[in-house]
Amino acid sequence: MLPSLSLFKIITVGWQIFIQKPWRNFFLICLPYGFSLLVLNLIAARLPELGFTPQQILKAINTPEMTRVALASLVAAIINVFTSTLSQLLSFRIVDTYFLGKDLDLLSFVKSKYLGLLWVNALAYLIIIGGFILILPGIYFAYVFLFAGLNYLIKEEKGLASLRQSKYFMKTHGPESVFMAILVLFFLVLILLPLSFIPYVGQTLNLAPAMFWFYSSLYLLYFKGAKIEMLNKQKK
């Protein structure tokens, strides 16, 4: 059994990857978030202000204002799928390039992988959103599909096969992986919190690097689990 990856180890490796070419990496990491936040802020600026008490919600149902809010939420969710997929691809490529010593070759990588990863993410999001109607199933699906994107990028398992493989992976390695990934994200968001107070760009400067470290932690945890499975098969 391989030793556990500590929070310090994951943060340190994430920093080593980031600092290799900090300006390039910072630009690539922030680009999808900056675009997404810009579009979402433009949408929010054109929406009516609605209260969120039960009485206000009941009063607003079946009104044009609520219809506009619902459509805007749908558009925002679709935009999030597209931009988060790009962010995931960029983060993965930066990490993969560091460990495997490849050229970044970013444009051709995005062109070859984007639609496949987008399809995996769209399937996962649809199932998760459907599950959140009953709350607990949504939480479960969000948990078991955590590594669906990495399964596609590393093993090239497409569509539902990637979701099934993620579910299988999480049966054995899920608890530790989720605990460590959340710990990394929580720690980084707190550390970078002062950046969020910078006008206009603060949210991007806070969340984008934190999410990059989150993806790098998933990468490390995924390969740790894969190595454990390989060693167990060799013992048999």
Side-chain angles (χ1 to χ4, degrees):
M1 183 72 67
L2 295 175
S4 296
L5 282 168
S6 66
L7 174 66
F8 178 78
K9 177 68 174 176
I10 291 175
I11 296 295
T12 303
V13 171
W15 173 250
Q16 290 170 349
I17 297 169
F18 181 81
I19 203 65
Q20 189 180 39
K21 293 200 174 173
W23 293 110
R24 181 203 68 185
N25 291 344
F26 187 76
F27 174 77
L28 292 176
I29 291 163
C30 289
L31 182 64
Y33 287 92
F35 175 77
S36 178
L37 285 172
L38 175 63
V39 174
L40 294 179
N41 285 333
L42 289 174
I43 291 173
R46 298 178 180 275
L47 290 177
E49 292 187 10
L50 297 177
F52 290 97
T53 66
Q55 295 84 358
Q56 289 169 323
I57 292 173
L58 289 173
K59 186 178 179 180
I61 289 175
N62 296 326
T63 63
E65 289 78 10
M66 183 60 80
T67 302
R68 287 174 60 193
V69 170
L71 288 174
S73 299
L74 178 61
V75 171
I78 293 172
I79 290 172
N80 182 62
V81 174
F82 280 90
T83 55
S84 63
T85 296
L86 179 59
S87 173
Q88 192 175 356
L89 267 179
L90 295 175
S91 297
F92 173 81
R93 191 57 174 172
I94 291 170
V95 175
D96 202 42
T97 298
Y98 175 84
F99 281 110
L100 301 183
K102 298 178 180 177
D103 293 329
L104 193 62
D105 194 18
L106 196 62
L107 185 58
S108 61
F109 179 75
V110 171
K111 286 170 63 177
S112 64
K113 298 292 186 181
Y114 184 79
L115 290 179
L117 183 60
L118 181 65
W119 176 234
V120 169
N121 285 341
L123 285 173
Y125 287 151
L126 285 172
I127 296 172
I128 290 168
I129 291 170
F132 267 113
I133 294 173
L134 299 175
I135 302 178
L136 288 180
I139 296 173
Y140 170 75
F141 290 132
Y143 171 81
V144 297
F145 296 154
L146 181 64
F147 287 99
L150 274 174
N151 280 322
Y152 169 73
L153 292 171
I154 294 170
K155 295 186 176 181
E156 297 188 351
E157 293 175 330
K158 299 177 180 178
L160 291 173
S162 184
L163 303 187
R164 286 194 293 267
Q165 181 60 30
S166 178
K167 181 180 178 181
Y168 167 78
F169 185 90
M170 294 297 282
K171 282 183 179 179
T172 306
H173 309 290
E176 180 191 7
S177 298
V178 169
F179 175 75
M180 287 303 303
I182 290 176
L183 200 61
V184 169
L185 185 59
F186 180 73
F187 175 78
L188 287 165
V189 168
L190 285 180
I191 292 298
L192 298 169
L193 188 61
L195 296 177
S196 64
F197 296 103
I198 299 175
Y200 304 110
V201 296
Q203 287 179 304
T204 300
L205 296 178
N206 179 18
L207 289 177
M211 289 306 298
F212 168 73
W213 260 270
F214 176 75
Y215 284 132
S216 69
S217 71
L218 291 184
Y219 186 102
L220 294 171
L221 292 163
Y222 182 91
F223 275 100
K224 182 199 169 194
K227 287 180 181 178
I228 290 172
E229 290 182 2
M230 182 181 69
L231 290 173
N232 288 339
K233 287 180 180 177
Q234 290 175 349
K235 290 177 182 178
K236 294 178 182 178

